[in-house]
Amino acid sequence: MQQDNLFSKPAEYTIDSCSLMAMFNDEPWTSKKTTPGLWERISGLIADGVIISHAEVLAEIKKDGKKGEELFNWANAHTAIFKPHDIGVEGPVIRGMSAKYKHLISNYGKATDAYADPWLVAQAKTKELKIITQETRSGVGSK
């Protein structure tokens, strides 16, 4: 796993927009208002570089105004968490997924929450990260 600098910890997790949305909403048990200690711990792991995300997740947050102003402002203030595309290694992973998981790939760029997903999966696979998400398995191959 690659570190951003000599003093940062190696990334272990990549976080999806749905999990960030859950933390910035008022209702779920994972919200930072309901469980501030959880948010403080996650925020610390983000600051340490243990939790990262993908540039496509940032684009998804910016594209969809329904994700909330507080999350939008937080994401814009923490752009370093959102790592850029690494087409050379992520591209082949996405191409490999496309035959079995067409629903993931075909949603790219459409007004849907799914378009960052293939990039997040590719980032996790190539950097050996665990994915933090609120999503459940659905669609082709879910059973």
Side-chain angles (χ1 to χ4, degrees):
M1 286 178 259
Q2 185 180 9
Q3 291 177 252
D4 282 343
N5 64 52
L6 182 62
F7 302 106
S8 66
K9 296 178 182 178
E12 295 179 34
Y13 303 92
T14 185
I15 192 164
D16 196 5
S17 64
C18 61
S19 293
L20 291 169
M21 286 171 36
M23 285 183 253
F24 280 87
N25 287 334
D26 293 336
E27 296 173 22
W29 69 268
T30 55
S31 79
K32 62 186 199 156
K33 291 179 182 173
T34 304
T35 53
L38 175 64
W39 171 247
E40 289 168 12
R41 178 74 175 129
I42 289 173
S43 186
L45 292 171
I46 289 169
D48 289 344
V50 175
I51 297 175
I52 62 170
S53 194
H54 198 281
E56 288 293 333
V57 170
L58 178 59
E60 193 173 89
I61 291 168
K62 288 183 174 184
K63 179 181 177 184
D64 187 354
K66 296 176 187 173
K67 297 199 185 318
E69 184 177 348
E70 186 181 8
L71 173 57
F72 179 87
N73 293 337
W74 178 87
N76 281 317
H78 295 87
T79 56
I81 178 182
F82 303 101
K83 304 305 177 190
H85 297 88
D86 189 346
I87 300 295
V89 294
E90 292 171 351
V93 172
I94 292 172
R95 279 190 298 280
M97 289 189 302
S98 65
K100 186 172 181 182
Y101 301 102
K102 289 181 184 167
H103 64 286
L104 276 178
I105 309 306
S106 65
N107 284 331
Y108 182 73
K110 295 181 182 172
T112 177
D113 289 339
Y115 87 95
D117 291 354
W119 294 98
L120 201 67
V121 170
Q123 180 188 55
K125 179 133 178 95
T126 60
K127 296 184 182 297
E128 299 179 6
L129 305 174
K130 297 166 208 78
I131 299 174
I132 300 171
T133 186
Q134 305 296 101
E135 293 181 23
T136 58
R137 198 169 180 185
S138 65
V140 177
S142 66
K143 295 181 181 180

